[in-house]
Amino acid sequence: MSGSNRRSSSSASSRRRTDRPARGRRQAPAPRPTRRLAAAGSSRETKSVGRLSVAGLGLTDHRRRQWPPALKWAVVALVAVGLVVGALFVASLTPVLTVTSVEAEPSDHLTAENITKLAAVPDGATLLNVDTGAIAERLAKNPWVADVSVQREYPDRLRITVTERDILAIVTVSSGNVAWYLSSDGTWVEPAKLAGGSGSLADQALALARQEGCLLIRDVPGTVSPKAGAKTTDAPILGVIDYQKGFTKGLADQVVSYSASSEEAISCVLESGIEVSLGDPSQISSKEAVVNELMAQHPNQLTYINVRNPAKPSFRKVSSDSVAQGSGVQAPAADGGGDGSQTQGDGSQTPSDDAGTGDGDQAPDGSPSTQNG
């Protein structure tokens, strides 16, 4: 073997010995690769990532993500609400907070006993499971009841407060020779209990109306048939309601009674005893303005005013300046002059058109009027 061949063989053997790991030594593990991750605000800052995976074309950081504070509080609130609702549900099924007392405040026409009986609170009901809406519905079936308040008073009491309907009038119904309560919203409430005695139906109804602080509506047609809790649909009565709501408080408070034989023949009697023929419920403000003007021009002298046509009103008066103020039951009386004293009626009777009325019907200018009452 030539010298060059021996040298080549020796070099190869030497490389093989160098590549072999030394016996008894552990080979050091290869270092894990690191990646340069750009940090916010610095392109040179790097950090090591424990685990990296390829997601699409980029790298995904598998570190634990933090919930936003708002989301944490929302979860806490939901859990708290759930616990409260659960506790209330469980309590509603147990005899805790059982209703042992029902306090009912009496109204003008309903006693505390009436209200409690109508409420019909179930035995064993608790303040948590009692159905206050059902109680209010049962009470609302009574025509007197306009509104109901049911309040829980812990630990064991219900308080019920009833608001009654506002009564507009006592209505005498000729078809049944009875009188009915009528509310301001046009609801028939119930038959009125009259005092009885020798007086006429209208007289007794007028006395009750004064006691209740409401109006009297008389002379309604026989077709009117009231039903408790029902709304009136009769044109004459609806016309009276329109007048009373259309008048200003100053004139409305002076009205004692209405006559409503038909919608076109509505009239009223004032506290002073003056009868006012109104006609159908139109031009209400104009009619009131004429009435007020005539009463101001002829104080304590008028017995009758006709404003069915407010553009052509007429009136009657007595020839005296010393007419006593009426009460709504009797007309003003004159001490002298003209025909003498004139009875206007009792608030329930219309004076006859052919009765003596002093100077007779006149227009506002003093000339005789051709308009009939």
Side-chain angles (χ1 to χ4, degrees):
M1 180 180 297
S2 63
S4 61
N5 290 336
R6 284 196 297 271
R7 287 193 295 270
S8 298
S9 239
S10 175
S11 298
S13 297
S14 177
R15 283 194 300 271
R16 285 195 296 270
R17 287 194 300 269
T18 303
D19 292 340
R20 292 178 184 174
R23 291 184 179 181
R25 293 182 181 178
R26 296 183 62 181
Q27 187 175 4
R32 292 184 179 181
T34 61
R35 297 283 184 182
R36 292 181 180 273
L37 298 177
S42 174
S43 61
R44 299 182 61 85
E45 184 178 349
T46 62
K47 60 181 177 180
S48 297
V49 180
R51 291 185 300 160
L52 297 174
S53 66
V54 178
L57 299 178
L59 297 175
T60 302
D61 189 351
H62 286 279
R63 293 174 303 168
R64 181 176 297 173
R65 296 180 179 181
Q66 298 295 324
W67 286 10
L71 183 58
K72 288 183 179 180
W73 284 113
V75 172
V76 171
L78 287 175
V79 172
V81 170
L83 291 174
V84 171
V85 171
L88 291 175
F89 176 74
V90 172
S92 68
L93 301 178
T94 61
V96 178
L97 304 177
T98 301
V99 177
T100 60
S101 175
V102 178
E103 297 288 340
E105 299 181 8
S107 58
D108 291 340
H109 300 90
L110 292 173
T111 65
E113 183 180 358
N114 294 147
I115 296 172
T116 302
K117 185 176 181 179
L118 290 170
V121 179
D123 293 337
T126 71
L127 293 183
L128 298 177
N129 66 14
V130 66
D131 190 344
T132 57
I135 293 174
E137 288 179 3
R138 288 192 287 271
L139 284 164
K141 292 179 181 179
N142 186 289
W144 279 111
V145 178
D147 189 36
V148 181
S149 171
V150 183
Q151 295 177 317
R152 297 176 174 88
E153 294 184 354
Y154 292 92
D156 58 1
R157 180 181 300 172
L158 278 180
R159 182 173 298 277
I160 303 175
T161 305
V162 168
T163 302
E164 286 192 0
R165 279 190 164 89
D166 180 37
I167 297 301
L168 173 71
I170 304 295
V171 183
T172 56
V173 182
S174 57
S175 59
N177 198 34
V178 295
W180 275 73
Y181 286 99
L182 179 72
S183 71
S184 57
D185 65 354
T187 299
W188 295 109
V189 179
E190 69 176 11
K193 297 179 180 178
L194 302 178
S198 59
S200 66
L201 175 66
D203 290 337
Q204 296 177 40
L206 178 60
L208 178 60
R210 287 190 171 279
Q211 178 182 333
E212 294 280 358
C214 64
L215 301 169
L216 168 68
I217 301 178
R218 54 187 171 81
D219 304 328
V220 298
T223 54
V224 175
S225 182
K227 182 179 179 181
K231 291 288 187 71
T232 182
T233 58
D234 303 286
I237 296 178
L238 293 175
V240 168
I241 295 175
D242 289 342
Y243 269 117
Q244 195 64 13
K245 291 184 176 181
F247 286 152
T248 63
K249 189 176 186 301
L251 182 58
D253 287 348
Q254 296 183 54
V255 179
V256 175
S257 67
Y258 282 92
S259 173
S261 58
S262 69
E263 186 180 29
E264 296 76 18
I266 296 174
S267 64
C268 69
V269 175
L270 306 182
E271 284 281 0
S272 61
I274 301 173
E275 182 194 4
V276 182
S277 180
L278 298 166
D280 64 85
S282 61
Q283 305 181 71
I284 296 176
S285 59
S286 297
K287 293 176 180 179
E288 177 177 357
V290 173
V291 170
N292 289 332
E293 181 181 358
L294 290 174
M295 289 194 298
Q297 291 176 355
H298 309 281
N300 301 327
Q301 293 182 331
L302 298 175
T303 61
Y304 175 83
I305 300 174
N306 188 332
V307 288
R308 292 189 182 188
N309 181 356
K312 297 181 178 180
S314 62
F315 63 90
R316 301 174 194 156
K317 68 174 183 176
V318 292
S319 300
S320 174
D321 293 331
S322 57
V323 179
Q325 184 72 15
S327 64
V329 178
Q330 289 185 339
D335 292 338
D339 298 340
S341 62
Q342 169 62 38
T343 300
Q344 179 68 17
D346 59 359
S348 61
Q349 300 292 329
T350 302
S352 172
D353 285 345
D354 56 3
T357 56
D359 294 338
D361 291 357
Q362 296 182 8
D365 59 2
S367 61
S369 170
T370 57
Q371 184 173 350
N372 293 326

